[in-house]
Amino acid sequence: MEETTAGLSAARPGPLSTLEQGRIGLPAATELGPGGVPTGFPDSPEGALAQLAAIDQTALAGASLPAAQVIAKEWIAPGGPDANDWSVVRALDEMLTASGQPGAGSDLRLTVEPTMGAFRNDGTLTASADDPSAPIACVDFVVSLTTSSTDQIAAADCQRMTRTGSRWVIATGPEEPAPASLWPGSAESVEAGWSWLEVTS
């Protein structure tokens, strides 16, 4: 979820494209899992994508580093990213620090909406996964940060997912490189291969 200064302009609200973008239907959660993360998604690439969206959304929206670290420990397989170094924890740390907020909870209002998704295959973002058993799921969120005013920015994440028991978790191994965070519906998002997300059931 890291973003360079040069890439920030493409992540902020800007001109939209009228070109048609694909859609990925996501299954709805059926239960609440550890750390308050929605779960119960099916054994399918779309289920993995929905689970990653739920993990990231819950970890960020709580605006609490300890809560996000608990989620990391519950939803990252052994040998995966460390809870203290997980990109979502680092992104939250940067947001809280920049806003002058304490790490263990604050009055910061953070709204996190998954808007676009994709699967990474050989470095390319597409609407389908080449490996259904270990898909690399990617989500592009709109993060709204409210202090004295509201600021919005896109934040994207990619993670290799694996099935453990009855649920998807972030897989063992190093984190996938983060894709460029692009404002949903922009020309850049069309060119990059992102698709709109919609819950189908």
Side-chain angles (χ1 to χ4, degrees):
M1 285 196 162
E2 295 179 354
E3 196 64 57
T4 64
T5 302
L8 283 177
S9 60
R12 295 193 179 280
L16 301 177
S17 171
T18 58
L19 294 176
E20 185 177 358
Q21 288 182 269
R23 296 182 180 275
I24 298 176
L26 295 185
T30 58
E31 57 186 286
L32 205 59
V37 175
T39 190
F41 301 107
D43 186 359
S44 66
E46 292 75 20
L49 182 57
Q51 187 64 80
L52 177 61
I55 292 169
D56 286 357
Q57 184 178 32
T58 306
L60 287 170
S64 165
L65 287 175
Q69 288 163 334
V70 167
I71 288 171
K73 291 174 182 176
E74 294 285 357
W75 291 93
I76 297 175
D82 182 84
N84 299 320
D85 198 44
W86 181 36
S87 59
V88 175
V89 167
R90 287 189 280 108
L92 181 58
D93 178 43
E94 290 173 6
M95 282 188 277
L96 291 171
T97 299
S99 303
Q101 303 293 324
S106 67
D107 294 329
L108 187 69
R109 285 189 293 165
L110 202 58
T111 303
V112 183
E113 292 296 330
T115 56
M116 306 199 83
F119 297 96
R120 180 181 277 158
N121 301 312
D122 296 325
T124 302
L125 298 183
T126 67
S128 59
D130 283 349
D131 185 355
S133 65
I136 299 174
C138 301
V139 186
D140 195 32
F141 299 88
V142 170
V143 179
S144 302
L145 179 69
T146 303
T147 50
S148 57
S149 61
T150 298
D151 188 27
Q152 289 186 307
I153 194 168
D157 186 30
C158 280
Q159 301 286 344
R160 184 178 295 278
M161 305 296 286
T162 188
R163 192 79 173 171
T164 299
S166 62
R167 61 187 175 115
W168 288 99
V169 297
I170 295 170
T172 298
E175 280 195 78
E176 284 290 315
S181 299
L182 302 173
W183 188 251
S186 65
E188 291 88 350
S189 71
V190 175
E191 293 170 3
W194 290 101
S195 296
W196 295 110
L197 296 177
E198 54 184 20
V199 177
T200 58
S201 60

